[in-house]
Every structure is written in structure tokens, then in C-alpha cells.
């Protein structure tokens, strides 16, 4: 404990989010039994831990609390049967995520405390207050820190992908002509050559007449995830949509189907065999270990599956994630805070993501204003955490958000970290099975969460 | 106008002397993979091979977020407090002519009948040292909007590289004061001119053709179906507005606890879906086509009608940063072509 | 406490306090309130600063930004005429965040007020003319200030007809004041509700406002028509006015749009090149016809 802390007589301020039926009663029982325990905890009562959105935990820290406890009924005892089991899934991933951002885990605790466990509650609070006291006052979310941590683990040298053969372009054009000509689709969403200042690049295009099909191309510059247009009203108005899609894009389409945003029969997938795209002058990181170079779901396949270069390495971002994980939480905080402080809230990350389709977005809701709209460090941190968290178990790693961010925030690291944790905990990778439940909307009795006291 | 010449070495000496004199000198700096205008403590920190910054200079006159009112609750009553505004004497170094020309455009908006002191205080304390362009980029189109790679508009001093030295055009009193801090570093310009440099730079520009404006014709273009075709791929993010040196739309929001609060002014973008949404649920611009049309017409019609100049300086940042490659130069030409086809 | 620093900028070395903060509201006390309908309330406000109370002036048709500190601001017309000084009135419908917070406030509490903004009804040009005021639902609120002005300057104007219309009787605003208007010499008051909106004891007209207006056989010679209401009502009123022979320069309305600064800078409320907050909110039908369909 620093002298400053002693002088200010600082006492940890801790908020507990508890469920009404178990922990709240347990805490009450501790009181009526006249158990003495630390007074630092303010309790907020919820009907069920299933209702506790990690957003509340974020808001608590944003408003300056030093520690958070989340507690509810034991698995199997939930008043609403499975609310706490869904909560458990969330906590497993969320806790790892907050650790990755640099939150000292001495500040975040989860417990099962039943209505008869007043003594457990009292002991728990005493222990947690001491842990938070050891951790000291929480770093304020309002000001960026001095001096940024750097990642001393450069991305590997990757070079360029091979150019797809011109046959792919011709096949796509022919398919588009057919699909539009027979009226099977009302529009084909694909890529065309960019003109003007972006010569050499590709750009999204919408072809709704067969005679315009020759606009379509496919090459290594076709980076955009066109699945984002499947929920766009100006595109949907044409009826069934044909879409030129790489494997990563198709994984997003699977996500949209899983979440009932589109029906499988409303889209005709022109799957394209892809050896990778170019971002910032080199092969995109996502392509290095891509598992879907040959599309896994499609209505029409374009390209030769045997032309695919085998994947020989792991994901290039994993070394950088491992590096960050080797640092102390404070050093990680000093990496992420300056990153988020740069955010100007252009929401390009949201606009370009096919799975950010909520209308309104949580950031647009103002009764209450969950996420401050102002681009100050506090508001930016809240936005960036929530954006990444809302994509946990859903993001397919297409990398578009990172490509488009005008201030270069490493969103790809956040997304990849969450994907790793979801896969590790639930053996789930998004974007493969359209009929699978999304990982955070389901649960298994054997979900492992040893950190819950 | 005073005309001087300056060697590269003396330029650095001058910059360092300005820093030493206590001025806050803001220049293009490499930071975290981006080139941004940041304060420097030495001329060596200026980004080498600098073409254009990633974010425009406007954040120094009109920050992304700014407190415009404080209040506290005292005995149950709000007590209002005016905030303090940055009044540091600042030198902005090496703004390209497009970026410099954006400043008078913002002056028109934030001055006028209701003087926005949050802007004008910063503006008053700012001296702009522009740097002419010799290497226009593919996205640049300043000449299409009535400027040039060596335009003087908005600069207090304009430096133009001629050979291995700089022509120094001292355009305002503020500029003179700055030069007079170290008058011995500057020699008389003699017959040094920027004509040849200008010609050569213009010749290198890929998009020279003048862009039409719509101040008189926007009403005819307004309902044309081409807007939907153009705007279909627009995703409605805020990158174009936020990377634009002249875009100035803003939001006003309160952030408060029970005991005190602030009213903030934040950058906003007409491309966002909720920008014009009424509380009743009515939205005058319900689709991206409506919203993109607003962007183009605001820049090439409405602003022109109200303030007498285009609200675009041709820097091209929106073009290179747009996630889907919307190109406003191409868009304007496409609209005019489409309208001509139907005799509008 | 939220501390706000501009992203990436060095802390300033020198600061000054703003001398005339265009965003700083006057403080006003709520001195009275009255519910017009189940969701519409009128507030009577007084400036806390006696100097401001003495000198504040405005013209009929202008609006202001009303603040609930900590929640936000929103725009309402100044609902009383400058001939009735000593207080400011606003009438608003509870429909969003700020209006809900405003409706939670009580007499004696303080709100903010920034204004007056916008242009105004050119009441001098109307002298000697016959005046028709047609308000639909909450649109009548926008007309109240200018109506009061004309009633208070009664001798300057020829006959006055006021049509206060709404969907149902419950939605009619200013029910308690309408009789006061009717009592003024040479003023005809007509109240109307949409078909199906009448109560058993309803003694007014039944019909859509534009139809009721036409049936009253208004004469366009030397007349002015001022109308405000939901967009669809304004549209049909303008058509009716044309059919009746009103020239577009004789017809006035007031527009609304989402606003933030209220003073022509923030770029939000424009209809084409015109800012509703600066070049409006009062527009003639002639001006409206030239505006792009951007509202």
C-alpha cells in the first residue's frame, strides 16, 4: 500500500451484483445473524445472475469502483432453471477478456452463495475486500496513462498471396449472368475494379442486370466482407441476393443465418476458392492460417480446390497475444488505454462488420446512455470493450474492422483473444454450422469455471 | 506580401527557435503508425517524407470532444460555470495548402452572428505555416475545387520548396511576427518564384479536371435515382466526416452524476443513421441514399450558397480512408453525367 | 466527475475563461405548469436573473433550447407573445429522453433556456389583413405566441379565425384558453376533431382540419393563413390553401427538425441550404415549395 493511499484513508469501494433468490437472501441472513464483516460492499439486486450483463461490470469500473463481485445461486438451483448456467458461460470468457485488457483480476470475483450461506458471504466479502485493498485504488478510466507499452513480438514476414487466375473472374461473371437472367436472384453483390484514386484496388458493387455482369472481378484485392450488405435495406429490396464470398465471408453469412437475420434460402452463395487477400501491402494475417480457403458452404463453387496452398502455421496474431499475456496487468493496461484513447468513434468497425446489425446499436441507446458517446478515453474504453465483447463467440476474424480503423487500433488482437477463449472453453468456432446455437446463448452442465468460489 | 528565402538548415533552426521561445509548435509527427499533427520539442521530430496527415488539422481548432459548460448542484440548484479554453500561442507547421485552406472555411462557420469562442480563442492564437506540395498523391484534387498545390489561402506564411531551399511568402501580420523572431535566418527572395514548382506539381496531379458545383442546380438533382445507386455501398460510418478538414457537424450531450455534470460538444457525422432522427420516430433522411446525398450537396451546393465557397479542399482523405472506396470526386462527376443524360 | 481531454492533445499551457459562452443557458424557475393532454404539458417559466427578466425580448415565432441539466436540451417554440412579458411559456409533448425528464420536474425547480433563436412571423406585414390560424394537434402550440400577439394588438388586424383541430378531444391543446380567444371581438373560434374523435357532448366540428377549413369558406383576398401541425396535415393544408385561392406568399408555416446548437453551426437541422434554426423556423409556402424534400 502506498503512503498516498494510507494518507487518504482510502477504503476499497466494491459493488456486488447478486441474484435475488440466493445470494441476496444469504447476505441478508448474514446481517440478521449479526455477522460482522467488512462494510465496503454495495449490493445491487437482480432477479437472476442471468440478467447481469457484463456491461454493468464495465460501468461499475467506469464510475470508479475498485472491485466487483458477481454472485448467485449454485448451478442446478437457479430459480429460473438455467439463468446462472448462461451466466457462467459469460463469466468464463469475460473474465479472461478483462484480464487481457489489463484489469487486475483481484478486482473481479464470481461466487455461488446460496440463501443459507450467510457465513460464506461474510467470509467471501472479507477476503475480497482484502484482495482489493492489496491491489490498491483502481486505475481511473478517465485519463490515458503516460507512456505506452509496445508489443515486442513483430508480426511475421508474410509476403504476398498468389493472384487468383482470371478464370475465377470469368466464372463469376457467367454465374451472375445466369442467376440474374433466370431471375433466381434480384442482385449480385460482388467486387468491381476501383477507379480514380484507388486504381488497383477492388470495391463492392451491386449488379442487378445480366448485361452488367462484366463489371464483376475477383482478385487478391477483394478484401471487403460483402456479407455486411445482406442486412442492408437498399440491397434486400432487390429480393434474393447472390453474393460473391470468400470462406471468411461465408462464415459471417453462417453467423447471420444462425442468428435469424437472414434465411439460407434468401441468399445464393457464390463461394470462391481463395489463397488470401492483400491488406497494407502484404498477405492479410487472417489468411495465413485460414481454414476455409475452399469454401465450406456454397450454392456455386468458383475456382479449383486443388489450387489451394496448404496452411502450415498457426495464427500470426497468437504470438502477439502470448506476448501481451506474458506482461503484468498494469503493462497490458498501458498498452490498451493509449490505443483506445486514439479512438474517434467513427464506428467504422461497427459499420463494416456483418454481425453488427443491431438497430439501434447499444452505443446509440440513450435511455439510459449505456456508453458515453463522447470520444474521451473513458467513453472510448467503454465502447471498445463492449464492441469486442458483443462479438465474443460470433466474430469470424475477417479482420475488416482492423483494416478500416482510421487510427490503427488493434481490434484484431481483441477479437482473436476472445475467439481463442471461446474455442478453448466451449470447443466452438463461429461460422461453420448454421444450425448450431451460438456459444453464449447455451450452456453445458460441465462448463468448467474453477475461478467461481 | 513579403517574400524571403530560407535554406533547409535555417528552417530547422527557425523551428527550434520558435520552440525555444515558448510557442507550442505543432507539426506532422509519426505516432503509432499514423502521421498526426502533434506538439514537437525539436525540429528533428517532424515526420520525414511527410505527404499528408491521417487526421486533419481541425482537431486543434475544433477538438473531437470538448466541454462547453460545467455545472454543479449546490443546495439543490444548478450553478453554471464557463469552461476554460486552450489559449496557448501555437504555430501550426507544414499544413498542406488544402489543409490550410480548410481553416477559413471553418472560420466562416464558427464565427459569424454567434461567435463560438471555443473555436475563435484557439484560432486567434494560431499562426499557420503552410508547406506547398511538390508530390501530389493519387487521391488529391485540390485543383478541381479551385485551389492549387501552392495556394496561399489560410496560411500566414507559405513555404514552397524551390530547388534545395524554400520560398517564403509572408502573407499576414501574424506571419511577419513569426519571421521577425529570427530575421537573420531569412534572406531576400530575389527572383525566386514558385511558378515552375506549381506547374510541375499540377502536371503530376491525376485528377485536375474542375468539379462542377450545384449551388444553382441542386434542386434538379435532388430526386434523381442515381443517389441510391451511388450510396448503396456506403456503410454509414463516420470516417469521411472525421478525416475531412472542413466537416464540422457536431453533437451536444450532457454527462453527469447527481452532483455535477458537463455539456460536451462532440464530432458527429451526417452519415450516421440517427443524425436527423426525431424523437417522434420520423427521420427526414431514412436511408443511406438520403444521407449520402446530404454529404455531397452540403459540400458542393449548400455551403457554397451560404458562404460563397466549396466545403471541400480536395485533400482526398475521405477517398483513401473510406472502407469501401467511396470517391467523392468520382461521385460528383457521375451525378452530373447522370443528370446530363436526362437533360437536367 | 468526468474529465474530458481531447484525444491525443497535449494539455494546454495557457487557458482563458470563455467570455461570452453562446452555449450557456439562462437559468429559469418553473413557476407553474398545466397538462394540456395526457402527454402534453405547458410550463410557465421565469428568469432567475432579474436583469435578464427585465430585458429579455423576443419576436412571435422564435424558439429556444430548453435544458434539463444532466439530461440534455430540446427545442420548443416560445409559446407566449412578447406582448405578455414577465414569463416564458413552452408547451411540449413527452416523447423522448429530455421531454420525459422535463415532465418529471416540479414547480420551483430550475431548467436552462437558450434563446431566442430563429426568424419570426412578419406580423408588421400582416397589418390590416384578415388572419386565419389553423393548428393541428400540437401544431397549435407553434401558433399560440403569434396568435396572442395578434389578439393583443387586435386593432391592427382585420377579422381573425382560429381553427384548433386535433385527432380527438383529449388531444386538443389549450382547451382551457380557447374561450379566452373566442371572447375577443372579431375573433371566430372553431374547434374540430377527426371523425371518430368526438365525445358524446362535443359541440365543435368533426372532420379533418383541411376539410373543416375549406368548409368555413375562407376568403383569400387580403388574408394570411398560418398553419402548423403534423407533416401530413401541413401537406394537405397547403393543397387546400391553393384550391381556395391563397397565393403561396400568403401562407405561413413553421418547421421543426432535430436540432442541437440552435444557432446555425452544428449542421444538423438543414433543409437543403437553409437551417431551420437560422433561416426558419417560419417559412412561407412559397419558400417551402423551393425547398428540397429534406424534412
Amino acid at each position: 500500500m502506498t503512503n498516498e493511499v494510507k494518507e487518504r484513508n482510502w477504503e476499497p469501494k466494491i459493488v456486488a451484483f447478486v441474484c435475488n433468490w440466493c445470494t441476496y437472501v444469504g447476505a441478508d441472513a448474514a446481517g440478521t445473524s449479526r455477522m460482522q464483516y467488512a462494510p465496503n460492499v454495495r449490493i445491487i439486486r437482480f432477479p437472476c445472475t442471468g440478467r447481469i450483463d457484463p456491461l454493468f461490470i464495465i460501468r461499475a469500473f467506469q464510475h470508479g469502483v475498485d472491485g466487483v463481485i458477481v454472485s448467485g445461486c449454485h448451478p442446478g438451483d437457479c430459480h429460473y432453471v438455467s439463468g446462472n448456467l448462461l451466466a457462467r458461460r459469460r463469466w468464463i470468457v469475460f473474465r479472461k477478456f478483462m484480464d487481457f485488457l489489463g484489469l487486475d483480476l483481484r478486482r473481479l470475483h464470481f461466487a455461488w452463495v446460496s440463501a443459507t450461506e450467510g457465513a460464506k458471504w461474510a467470509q467471501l466479502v472479507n477476503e475480497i475486500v482484502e484482495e482489493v485493498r492489496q491491489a490498491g485504488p483502481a486505475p481511473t478510466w478517465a485519463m490515458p496513462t503516460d507512456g505506452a507499452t509496445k508489443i515486442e513480438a513483430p508480426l511475421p514476414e508474410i509476403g504476398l498471396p498468389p493472384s487468383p487466375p482470371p478464370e475465377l473472374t470469368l466464372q463469376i461473371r457467367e454465374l451472375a449472368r445466369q442467376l440474374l437472367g433466370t431471375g433466381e436472384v434480384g442482385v449480385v453483390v460482388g467486387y468491381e475494379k476501383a477507379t480514380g484514386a484507388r486504381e488497383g484496388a477492388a470495391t463492392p458493387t451491386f449488379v442487378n442486370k445480366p448485361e452488367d455482369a462484366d463489371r464483376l472481378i475477383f482478385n487478391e484485392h477483394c478484401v471487403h466482407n460483402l456479407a455486411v450488405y445482406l442486412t442492408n435495406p437498399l440491397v434486400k429490396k432487390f429480393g434474393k441476393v447472390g453474393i460473391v464470398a470468400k470462406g471468411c465471408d461465408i462464415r459471417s453469412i453462417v453467423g447471420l443465418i444462425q442468428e435469424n437475420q437472414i434465411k439460407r434460402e434468401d441468399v445464393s452463395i457464390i463461394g470462391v476458392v481463395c489463397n488470401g487477400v492483400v491488406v497494407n501491402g502484404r498477405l492479410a494475417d487472417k489468411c495465413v492460417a485460414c481454414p476455409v480457403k475452399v469454401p465450406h458452404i456454397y450454392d456455386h463453387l468458383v475456382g479449383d480446390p486443388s489450387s489451394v496452398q496448404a496452411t502450415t502455421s498457426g495464427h500470426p496474431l497468437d504470438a502477439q497475444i502470448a506476448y501481451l499475456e506474458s506482461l503484468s496487468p498494469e503493462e497490458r493496461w498501458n498498452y490498451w488505454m493509449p490505443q483506445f484513447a486514439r479512438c474517434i468513434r467513427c464506428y467504422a468497425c461497427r459499420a463494416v462488420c456483418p454481425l453488427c446489425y443491431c438497430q439501434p446499436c447499444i452505443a446509440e441507446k440513450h435511455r439510459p446512455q449505456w456508453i458515453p458517446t463522447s470520444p474521451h478515453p473513458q467513453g472510448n474504453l467503454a465502447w471498445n470493450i463492449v464492441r469486442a465483447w458483443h462479438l465474443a463467440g460470433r466474430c469470424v476474424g475477417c479482420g475488416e474492422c482492423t483494416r478500416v480503423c482510421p487510427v490503427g487500433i488493434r481490434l484484431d488482437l481483441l477479437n482473436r483473444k476472445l475467439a481463442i477463449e471461446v474455442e478453448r472453453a466451449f470447443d466452438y468456432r463461429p461460422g461453420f454450422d448454421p444450425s448450431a446455437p451460438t456459444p453464449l446463448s447455451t450452456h453445458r452442465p460441465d462448463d468448467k469455471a474453477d475461478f467461481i468460489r | 506580401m513579403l517574400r524571403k528565402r530560407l535554406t533547409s538548415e535555417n528552417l530547422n533552426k527557425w523551428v527550434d527557435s520558435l520552440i525555444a521561445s515558448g510557442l507550442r509548435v505543432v507539426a506532422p509527427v509519426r505516432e503509432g503508425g499514423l502521421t498526426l499533427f502533434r506538439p514537437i520539442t525539436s525540429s528533428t521530430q517532424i515526420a520525414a517524407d511527410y505527404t499528408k496527415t491521417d487526421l486533419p488539422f481541425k482537431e486543434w481548432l475544433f477538438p473531437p470532444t470538448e466541454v462547453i459548460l460545467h455545472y454543479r448542484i449546490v443546495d439543490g440548484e444548478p450553478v453554471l460555470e464557463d469552461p476554460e479554453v486552450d489559449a496557448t500561442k501555437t504555430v501550426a507547421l507544414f499544413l498542406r495548402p488544402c489543409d490550410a485552406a480548410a481553416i477559413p472555411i471553418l472560420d466562416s462557420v464558427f464565427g459569424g452572428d454567434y461567435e463560438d469562442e471555443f473555436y475563435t480563442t484557439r484560432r486567434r492564437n494560431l499562426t499557420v505555416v503552410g508547406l506547398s506540395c511538390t508530390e501530389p498523391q493519387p487521391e488529391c484534387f485540390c485543383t478541381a475545387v479551385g485551389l492549387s498545390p501552392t495556394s496561399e489561402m489560410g496560411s500566414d506564411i507559405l513555404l514552397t520548396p524551390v530547388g534545395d531551399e524554400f520560398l517564403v511568402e509572408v502573407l499576414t501580420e501574424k506571419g511577419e511576427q513569426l519571421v521577425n523572431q529570427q530575421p537573420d535566418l531569412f534572406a531576400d527572395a530575389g527572383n525566386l518564384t514558385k511558378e515552375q514548382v506549381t506547374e510541375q506539381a499540377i502536371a503530376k496531379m491525376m485528377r485536375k479536371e474542375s468539379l462542377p458545383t450545384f449551388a444553382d442546380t441542386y434542386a434538379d438533382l435532388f430526386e434523381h435515382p442515381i443517389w441510391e445507386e451511388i450510396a448503396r455501398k456506403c456503410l454509414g460510418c463516420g470516417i469521411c466526416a472525421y478525416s475531412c478538414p472542413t466537416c464540422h457537424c457536431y453533437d451536444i450531450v450532457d454527462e453527469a452524476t447527481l452532483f455535477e455534470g458537463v455539456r460536451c460538444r462532440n464530432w458527429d457525422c451526417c452519415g450516421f443513421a440517427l443524425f436527423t432522427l426525431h424523437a417522434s420516430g420520423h427521420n427526414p433522411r431514412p436511408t443511406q441514399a438520403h444521407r449520402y446525398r446530404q454529404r455531397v450537396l452540403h459540400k458542393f451546393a449548400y455551403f457554397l450558397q451560404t458562404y460563397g465557397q466549396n466545403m471541400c479542399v480536395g485533400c482526398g482523405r475521405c477517398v483513401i480512408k473510406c472502407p469501401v472506396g467511396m470517391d467523392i470526386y468520382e461521385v460528383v462527376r457521375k451525378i452530373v453525367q447522370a443528370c446530363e443524360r436526362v437533360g437536367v | 466527475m468526468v474529465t474530458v481531454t481531447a484525444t491525443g492533445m497535449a494539455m494546454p499551457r495557457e487557458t482563458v475563461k470563455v467570455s461570452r459562452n453562446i452555449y450557456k443557458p439562462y437559468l429559469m424557475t418553473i413557476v407553474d405548469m398545466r397538462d394540456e393532454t395526457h402527454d402534453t404539458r405547458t410550463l410557465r417559466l421565469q428568469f432567475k436573473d432579474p436583469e435578464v427578466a427585465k430585458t429579455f425580448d423576443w419576436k412571435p415565432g422564435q424558439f429556444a433550447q430548453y435544458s434539463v441539466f444532466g439530461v440534455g436540451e430540446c427545442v420548443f417554440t416560445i409559446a407566449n407573445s412578447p406582448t405578455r412579458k414577465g414569463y416564458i411559456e413552452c408547451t411540449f409533448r413527452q416523447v423522448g429522453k429530455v421531454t420525459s425528464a422535463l415532465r418529471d420536474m416540479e414547480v420551483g425547480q430550475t431548467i436552462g433556456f437558450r434563446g431566442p433563436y430563429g426568424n419570426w412571423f412578419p406580423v408588421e406585414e400582416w397589418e390590416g389583413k384578415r388572419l386565419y390560424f389553423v393548428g393541428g394537434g400540437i401544431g397549435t402550440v407553434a401558433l399560440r405566441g403569434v396568435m396572442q400577439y395578434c389578439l393583443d394588438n387586435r386593432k391592427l388586424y382585420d377579422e381573425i379565425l382560429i381553427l384548433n383541430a386535433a385527432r380527438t378531444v383529449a388531444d386538443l391543446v389549450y382547451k382551457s384558453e380557447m374561450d379566452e380567444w373566442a371572447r375577443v371581438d372579431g375573433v371566430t373560434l372553431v374547434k374540430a376533431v377527426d371523425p371518430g374523435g368526438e365525445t358524446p357532448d362535443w359541440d365543435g366540428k368533426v372532420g379533418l382540419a383541411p376539410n373543416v377549413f375549406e368548409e368555413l369558406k375562407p376568403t383569400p383576398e387580403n388574408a394570411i393563413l398560418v398553419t402548423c401541425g403534423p407533416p401530413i396535415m401541413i401537406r394537405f393544408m397547403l393543397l387546400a390553401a391553393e384550391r381556395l385561392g391563397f397565393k403561396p406568399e400568403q401562407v405561413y408555416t413553421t418547421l421543426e427538425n432535430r436540432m442541437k446548437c440552435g444557432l446555425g453551426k452544428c449542421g444538423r437541422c438543414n433543409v437543403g441550404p437553409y437551417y431551420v434554426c437560422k433561416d426558419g423556423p417560419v417559412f412561407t409556402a412559397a419558400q417551402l415549395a423551393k425547398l428540397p424534400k429534406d424534412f
Side-chain angles (χ1 to χ4, degrees), chain B residues 24-341:
Chain B
R24 177 173 65 189
V25 177
V26 170
V29 159
R30 291 293 290 171
E31 187 184 278
L34 305 169
T35 306
L36 299 167
F37 283 107
R38 290 289 179 264
I40 53 172
T41 50
S42 150
S43 60
T44 54
Q45 293 167 344
I46 300 174
D49 303 324
Y50 149 68
T51 53
K52 200 164 26 213
T53 55
D54 287 283
L55 289 180
F57 184 74
K58 73 179 179 190
E59 55 170 329
W60 286 92
L61 291 166
F62 167 50
T65 178
E66 172 146 41
V67 173
I68 54 178
L69 188 69
H70 267 127
Y71 73 91
R72 288 172 300 124
I73 304 291
V74 177
D75 295 328
E77 286 294 308
V79 174
L80 306 185
E81 278 154 27
D82 286 320
E84 304 262 329
V85 194
D86 187 348
T88 313
K89 296 233 172 320
T90 305
V91 174
L93 266 193
F94 297 176
L95 263 67
R96 294 296 180 187
C98 52
D99 284 341
I103 296 180
I105 290 175
L106 293 177
D107 290 346
S108 320
V109 172
F110 289 102
D113 291 336
Y114 294 95
E115 185 191 320
D116 183 319
E117 287 187 29
F118 298 94
Y119 177 92
T120 56
T121 309
R122 291 187 169 90
R123 179 72 184 95
R124 219 174 17 250
N125 290 299
L126 178 74
T127 307
V128 178
V129 179
L131 178 65
S132 292
C133 289
T134 49
E135 299 296 329
Q137 300 294 291
E139 68 273 7
C140 294
F141 58 97
C142 60
T143 48
V145 291
L147 295 169
S148 97
T150 61
S151 282
E152 293 129 30
M153 180 170 157
S155 290
D156 294 295
I157 298 173
L158 180 65
L159 304 172
T160 305
V162 182
D164 53 8
E165 48 179 351
F166 293 90
L167 172 66
V168 181
E169 291 171 285
V170 186
L171 302 158
T172 66
E173 221 179 274
K174 267 187 189 166
E176 257 185 74
Q177 281 174 12
L178 218 56
V179 165
N180 288 339
Q181 286 221 20
Q182 294 284 316
D184 300 332
L185 294 176
F186 297 83
D188 223 43
N191 52 10
L192 199 64
T193 71
K194 66 183 188 186
E195 267 166 39
Q196 212 185 10
V197 167
T198 308
E199 255 173 57
Q200 284 167 352
I202 292 179
K204 287 188 195 160
M205 287 189 71
M206 294 179 211
R207 291 123 76 82
K208 292 193 265 281
E209 207 181 294
S210 213
L211 278 182
T213 57
F214 308 129
D216 300 321
T217 55
Y218 69 85
D220 302 322
L221 311 165
F222 205 77
E223 301 289 342
H224 199 291
I226 191 89
W227 290 110
E228 193 175 300
E229 191 188 304
I230 288 170
R232 190 166 292 125
K233 70 179 178 181
C234 172
L235 298 173
C237 71
I239 283 185
C240 54
Y242 291 178
S243 57
C244 173
T246 64
C247 274
H248 53 265
C249 287
Y250 57 88
D251 189 13
I252 299 179
V253 292
D254 284 11
E255 292 180 5
T257 65
L258 277 179
F259 313 106
E260 57 186 344
V262 292
R263 186 159 285 168
C264 301
R265 179 186 61 192
N266 301 328
W267 286 3
D268 208 342
C269 170
C270 59
F272 290 141
L274 304 188
F275 188 68
T276 49
L277 179 68
H278 293 201
S280 64
H282 170 62
N283 191 343
R285 300 187 194 136
T287 74
Q288 208 57 45
H290 293 84
R291 298 189 277 272
Y292 194 72
R293 174 181 64 191
Q294 157 66 14
R295 173 172 175 73
V296 174
L297 291 182
H298 189 187
K299 287 187 170 299
F300 292 95
Y302 309 153
F303 197 85
L304 186 57
Q305 183 175 317
T306 311
Y307 293 105
Q309 57 187 153
N310 263 336
M311 207 179 107
C312 175
V313 293
C315 73
R317 284 184 179 87
C318 58
V319 176
I320 36 176
K321 296 203 173 290
C322 174
V324 294
M326 305 283 292
D327 185 335
I328 204 165
Y329 180 84
E330 300 280 324
V331 161
V332 169
R333 296 192 337 148
K334 196 165 177 178
I335 292 168
V336 171
Q337 277 164 19
C339 293
E340 278 170 359
R341 274 204 299 271

